[in-house]
Amino acid sequence: MSESKQIVLPITGMTCANCVATIERSVKKLPGVQNTIVNLASERAVVDFNPTALSLDTIISRIENAGYGIATGELEVEISHIGETSDAIRLENGLKKNEGVISVIVNLASEKAKIQYIPTLVSQQELRHQVKALGFDLIEFTGETTDAEADARTVEIHHQLTMLIIGLIFTIPLLALTMLGDFGVLPNATSQTAWFKWLSLALATPVQFYVGWQYYIGAYKSLRNRSANMDVLIALGSSAAYFYSLPVVIGLLPGQMYLETSAVIITLIRLGKYLESKAKGSTSEAIKKLMALQEKTAKVVRDGKEISIPTDEVEKGDIVLVRPGEKFPVDGVVVDGRSTVDESMLTGESLPVEKTIGDKVTGATLNQQGSVKIEATHVGKETILAQIIKLVEDAQGSKAPIQKLADQVSAIFVPIVIAIAFATFIVWYFLIPAPAISAGITPFTRALIDAVAVLVVACPCAMGLATPTAIMVGTGKAAQKGILFRSSEALEQAKKITLIVLDKTGTLTKGQPAVTDISMFDPILSKDQLLKLAASVERGSEHPVGEALLAEAGDRGIQLSEPSGFLSYPGEGVAAEVDGQKIAVGNQHMMERILPNDTSYQSTLEEFQKSGKTTLLVAVDAKVAGVIAVADVLKENSIIAVNELKKMGYQIAMLTGDNLNTAQAIGRQAGVDRIIAEVLPDGKASQIKELQQQGNVVAMVGDGVNDAPALAQADLGMAIGTGTDIAIASAPITLINGDLQGVAKAIRLSNQTMKTIRQNLFWAFFYNIILIPAAALGFMNPMLSAAAMAFSSVFVVTNSLRLKNARI
């Protein structure tokens, strides 16, 4: 099997869905490339390739040769004591070995190094660490790291705004003069007046060849790659109007000029692109908010002193001091102090969580009350927040199956539009010239204007943005609610579910046995006294049920005694002497063996067992004094969550390895429709497969190692985030806070996102299907077409942004 590696590259210069197809097609042709996905909304390319057969430089060159660029950042670091040319060469060569470093320039005089890099491949933190690893000392960095990719996008938006303003400066006077002439306010402002013709040309030319130059460059690069994109349509349409007007200006042809038409087309398209860029920036707002949660500095204890350093510089094992009101800079374990922590950024739940020595804390959560010291366990890209951001970015960069239709249409869209425009010209000029003559213009002019309207009204951008913008907003909102979608395919799949299978232990239930009942047979002892004796014996046991007794005694504030003569009877129970009394704690088999004549507990025991509870009989001095019932209880919100899913129309099944009695008891409490019990760990996936063969589209919700195969087998796996890493890794959806109500939220968000995508695709196709024929039939002039084209993309993006306010 060939080696595989995945990289993410930030792309610049894309304008429409055809650009996406061009890059994907170009990169896929490289030997060693296994898959390429380009996202128009996030402007990123995800490339899977064999690094032994292909280099990163070759991939970048192919993208650049296709006419597009790579967004890069620049980092300037100040280095102390670098005085020799050999040091500079060693530093340059050492840094260039890092993947993503484009160039390194070391200035010996200023002792500074300028590093140009690709921000999706290498971070500023990693570059600083590499400088240190090469043996150089950095002047202490006290500022904040910058988001180089965001900076590059900001520069692009600023460029769009600058071009728009310049376009408006020239186009508004030109359009005003033309309209004043048409309405007779300026009788001399006509195509027959020399001053008006030359002034119009002077105003239109900067718009055509400065403001619109990007479209000529884009069209050339697209045609060079044997494809056609939006730039081709704009360049053709505006050029036809402009160059037709030139002979009129210099007196070679009589008739009307259309210089204001060419200028308005380019300026309106610039306006649309600027608004689109601003709106697209908002689709990634959730990611930006997640990134902004990271604490910029950390207070660490080194050599007995407290110092403040950038969070990027914290290392594993560092002791970090966090005061009330501060965020935890990294993931860690509390080693001193206690506090309450607001984990809403992670789970979406605002209720504070108590933390004391030994408890784990997550970077970017808020310390509310007490000062604590933590030992850093995960830093940099290893923190939970960094992993969440990576998961969301991966989901946003993936391509949903519903996108395929738009991709197929986009691949042939522009050539078809050009063909329709050509046919429009032929029909109006050769077949039906009469209406043109009756309207007071020549057949050639009428044919040309309608052909230009067809070119300008067509919009491949809306089709390209319909799916990715909705996915970016939907997955971002989900992350803020504690729901992680691993791919856009999971978003689409969630809508198709008919049956939801819930694991019992750790999913429906807390996964920790707890004391539910204490029934007494000895009138002298109280319940607390019986619990003290039983829990004191269990101090020597490691059984989960014994831990439940210890936990209950702790909750009741009972002081335990030290047992002596501890004995363990595997499969039956334990015995010891406590406070001078002989105590035995165990199951029915144990009591029947050591106290064969005592059956007073039988009816009580059977009652508890019918309820699916585990029972512990407690004997004191050779007499059964009471029975303690233990059960794995439902989570607080499980019943609410199951009812919510049933109201949404889903069948609910529970899957467990427990015996049927216990399973039925829990199932009745939770309100599930179907119980599948006594399933061995390796049989869970088979059960899911059997349900699928019955015609169900199955979602599996689980949290343990035993659930991983079933999560993978299901049509859609949902992992409880409080569970094991392997379960999370097997599931397309992760519910970070472990709340089962997140299942309904995930499905509702999926439905709303898919609804938005369908609305976007309907609008994109409807717009083109209706307006292109309208333009061809002469019902739209080029300026109106340009306005409609600019609006179409903005509509799709803003419709996607409505998801941010969706209620789930």
Side-chain angles (χ1 to χ4, degrees):
M1 187 175 179
S2 61
E3 186 180 346
S4 180
K5 181 178 183 179
Q6 185 179 90
I7 58 169
V8 179
L9 297 173
I11 309 295
T12 60
M14 290 196 296
T15 56
C16 69
N18 199 268
C19 298
V20 170
T22 299
I23 297 173
E24 288 183 348
R25 186 172 60 249
S26 298
V27 175
K28 282 178 181 177
K29 288 179 181 178
L30 289 170
V33 171
Q34 293 150 1
N35 192 31
T36 304
I37 297 175
V38 179
N39 188 305
L40 180 60
S42 63
E43 297 180 282
R44 285 183 168 191
V46 180
V47 183
D48 293 297
F49 68 104
N50 182 353
T52 61
L54 184 66
S55 69
L56 172 63
D57 291 341
T58 304
I59 296 173
I60 293 174
S61 296
R62 178 57 67 97
I63 293 172
E64 290 174 342
N65 289 338
Y68 305 92
I70 305 294
T72 61
E74 186 174 270
L75 173 66
E76 185 175 80
V77 292
E78 192 170 351
I79 304 166
S80 61
H81 310 303
I82 178 170
E84 296 182 8
T85 304
S86 60
D87 287 339
I89 293 173
R90 182 165 63 86
L91 179 58
E92 288 180 4
N93 291 338
L95 288 173
K96 284 178 181 177
K97 290 179 181 178
N98 286 271
E99 184 177 64
V101 173
I102 304 298
S103 66
V104 182
I105 300 174
V106 179
N107 188 315
L108 290 176
S110 63
E111 294 188 322
K112 289 181 179 179
K114 284 187 178 179
I115 309 166
Q116 186 184 16
Y117 65 100
I118 300 172
T120 53
L121 299 182
V122 63
S123 68
Q124 294 183 3
Q125 172 198 3
E126 289 169 328
L127 291 172
R128 289 194 187 90
H129 284 168
Q130 183 63 23
V131 172
K132 290 181 178 179
L134 290 168
F136 297 93
D137 293 325
L138 287 174
I139 302 298
E140 187 171 348
F141 172 73
T142 56
E144 294 182 6
T145 57
T146 59
D147 186 341
E149 185 180 0
D151 291 344
R153 306 299 185 202
T154 302
V155 169
E156 174 62 21
I157 292 174
H158 180 72
H159 174 71
Q160 291 282 5
L161 178 60
T162 302
M163 290 294 102
L164 172 61
I165 291 171
I166 294 172
L168 290 170
I169 288 171
F170 288 97
T171 301
I172 290 174
L174 174 59
L175 186 61
L177 281 171
T178 303
M179 292 180 68
L180 290 173
D182 290 343
F183 288 113
V185 179
L186 288 176
N188 293 327
T190 69
S191 298
Q192 311 304 318
T193 309
W195 71 266
F196 176 73
K197 291 194 290 186
W198 289 104
L199 179 58
S200 296
L201 182 64
L203 289 170
T205 300
V207 178
Q208 187 71 33
F209 297 109
Y210 183 69
V211 178
W213 187 245
Q214 172 188 325
Y215 303 118
Y216 284 103
I217 296 296
Y220 166 72
K221 289 178 177 178
S222 178
L223 293 172
R224 187 183 65 186
N225 285 284
R226 299 179 182 178
S227 65
N229 63 3
M230 183 200 77
D231 294 334
V232 174
L233 298 179
I234 297 170
L236 276 175
S238 63
S239 295
Y242 179 86
F243 286 107
Y244 170 79
S245 302
L246 285 182
V248 177
V249 172
I250 61 180
L252 295 179
L253 282 178
Q256 187 175 345
M257 298 182 303
Y258 290 95
L259 291 169
E260 81 285 354
T261 298
S262 68
V264 168
I265 287 172
I266 290 174
T267 302
L268 282 174
I269 299 301
R270 278 289 185 189
L271 172 63
K273 282 296 164 187
Y274 170 68
L275 294 175
E276 179 189 315
S277 298
K278 291 281 288 182
K280 276 163 62 178
S282 298
T283 62
S284 59
E285 193 173 281
I287 282 283
K288 292 173 184 174
K289 285 182 178 179
L290 286 171
M291 290 178 171
L293 290 171
Q294 178 67 62
E295 191 70 43
K296 301 298 186 294
T297 59
K299 300 178 185 70
V300 301
V301 179
R302 289 181 179 171
D303 300 324
K305 296 180 181 178
E306 180 189 322
I307 59 172
S308 184
I309 61 173
T311 299
D312 288 347
E313 303 295 329
V314 177
E315 298 177 356
K316 286 184 182 179
D318 274 342
I319 301 300
V320 183
L321 176 63
V322 185
R323 294 187 173 89
E326 295 178 346
K327 293 177 184 176
F328 291 96
V330 294
D331 297 355
V333 176
V334 178
V335 293
D336 185 33
R338 63 185 303 149
S339 183
T340 57
V341 177
D342 178 0
E343 295 185 336
S344 57
M345 58 71 52
L346 181 68
T347 64
E349 300 296 332
S350 57
L351 290 177
V353 180
E354 286 194 19
K355 300 289 182 181
T356 186
I357 293 174
D359 289 338
K360 294 179 180 179
V361 293
T362 304
T365 56
L366 181 66
N367 183 30
Q368 290 188 319
Q369 293 182 342
S371 291
V372 295
K373 287 182 180 179
I374 67 168
E375 180 182 340
T377 56
H378 297 87
V379 299
K381 293 181 179 179
E382 296 178 354
T383 64
I384 290 177
L385 178 62
Q387 291 178 50
I388 289 173
I389 292 171
K390 178 68 167 59
L391 278 173
V392 176
E393 286 180 336
D394 288 347
Q396 292 180 344
S398 61
K399 190 170 288 190
I402 198 172
Q403 176 81 18
K404 289 178 182 178
L405 176 61
D407 288 346
Q408 290 168 354
V409 174
S410 298
I412 57 172
F413 182 80
V414 175
I416 289 175
V417 171
I418 294 173
I420 293 172
F422 180 75
T424 299
F425 180 87
I426 296 298
V427 169
W428 279 108
Y429 184 63
F430 290 105
L431 301 182
I432 48 173
I437 295 172
S438 64
I441 58 175
T442 67
F444 179 85
T445 303
R446 177 61 186 266
L448 180 67
I449 292 305
D450 288 340
V452 169
V454 170
L455 290 171
V456 176
V457 79
C459 186
C461 308
M463 289 186 289
L465 291 168
T467 301
T469 52
I471 286 172
M472 287 184 72
V473 178
T475 53
K477 181 179 178 66
Q480 292 176 325
K481 297 294 183 180
I483 304 164
L484 296 182
F485 285 88
R486 189 173 293 276
S487 68
S488 54
E489 189 174 357
L491 265 173
E492 189 168 339
Q493 188 66 23
K495 181 173 175 56
K496 303 173 185 177
I497 296 303
T498 60
L499 172 66
I500 299 173
V501 179
L502 306 174
D503 172 54
K504 182 182 79 72
T505 306
T507 301
L508 269 171
T509 66
K510 293 182 177 180
Q512 298 174 334
V515 173
T516 58
D517 304 272
I518 300 176
S519 183
M520 300 300 301
F521 306 130
D522 187 337
I524 298 175
L525 289 173
S526 68
K527 291 183 179 181
D528 280 3
Q529 288 174 322
L530 184 76
L531 181 61
K532 175 183 178 179
L533 295 172
S536 296
V537 176
E538 291 287 356
R539 290 181 75 173
S541 169
E542 295 179 355
H543 195 280
V545 174
E547 291 176 359
L549 298 188
L550 293 170
E552 181 67 18
D555 291 343
R556 298 191 182 202
I558 297 172
Q559 288 288 106
L560 301 183
S561 301
E562 193 66 36
S564 60
F566 178 83
L567 294 172
S568 175
Y569 301 94
E572 291 188 350
V574 291
E577 189 171 308
V578 179
D579 297 336
Q581 295 175 293
K582 292 180 179 179
I583 311 298
V585 182
N587 58 24
Q588 186 175 359
H589 294 297
M590 182 178 182
M591 294 303 158
E592 287 175 347
R593 181 174 57 79
I594 64 173
L595 299 171
N597 298 321
D598 191 344
T599 58
S600 58
Y601 54 80
Q602 195 65 45
S603 60
T604 304
L605 200 66
E606 289 173 358
E607 195 65 36
F608 284 141
Q609 287 175 342
K610 285 179 184 177
S611 301
K613 296 175 182 178
T614 300
T615 52
L616 288 176
L617 293 161
V618 183
V620 179
D621 290 332
K623 183 180 179 182
V624 177
V627 60
I628 301 175
V630 176
D632 184 6
V633 297
L634 288 170
K635 290 181 179 177
E636 289 80 359
N637 295 327
S638 288
I639 297 174
I640 297 172
V642 170
N643 287 336
E644 197 171 1
L645 290 169
K646 290 171 73 173
K647 285 179 182 177
M648 292 169 68
Y650 296 104
Q651 295 181 60
I652 310 298
M654 184 184 77
L655 182 62
T656 179
D658 279 350
N659 66 71
L660 187 59
N661 282 338
T662 301
Q664 287 177 335
I666 291 293
R668 281 194 298 269
Q669 291 177 50
V672 300
D673 302 308
R674 185 171 178 179
I675 296 166
I676 307 169
E678 299 178 3
V679 180
L680 296 174
D682 57 358
K684 289 188 175 182
S686 299
Q687 286 290 334
I688 297 295
K689 189 173 183 179
E690 187 177 322
L691 291 170
Q692 291 169 325
Q693 290 170 344
Q694 294 169 9
N696 299 297
V697 182
V698 181
M700 169 71 190
V701 186
D703 79 323
V705 175
N706 294 340
D707 301 325
L711 290 169
Q713 173 64 42
D715 297 288
L716 183 66
M718 297 189 190
I720 299 295
T722 49
T724 60
D725 290 340
I726 189 170
I728 295 171
S730 302
I733 299 177
T734 300
L735 311 176
I736 301 175
N737 63 1
D739 185 353
L740 206 55
Q741 286 182 280
V743 176
K745 290 179 181 178
I747 293 174
R748 276 197 293 266
L749 184 59
S750 167
N751 291 339
Q752 291 184 21
T753 303
M754 294 309 300
K755 180 181 177 181
T756 301
I757 289 173
R758 286 193 296 272
Q759 289 173 346
N760 288 347
L761 287 173
F762 172 81
W763 164 257
F765 283 104
F766 175 81
Y767 164 90
N768 285 296
I769 289 170
I770 296 298
L771 293 190
I772 290 175
L777 292 171
F779 295 117
M780 299 187 71
N781 66 52
M783 288 187 283
L784 182 59
S785 295
M789 191 267 204
F791 170 73
S792 65
S793 296
V794 175
F795 173 85
V796 165
V797 180
T798 51
N799 187 50
S800 296
L801 288 173
R802 292 191 308 118
L803 274 171
K804 291 199 292 186
N805 300 317
R807 296 183 64 182
I808 61 170

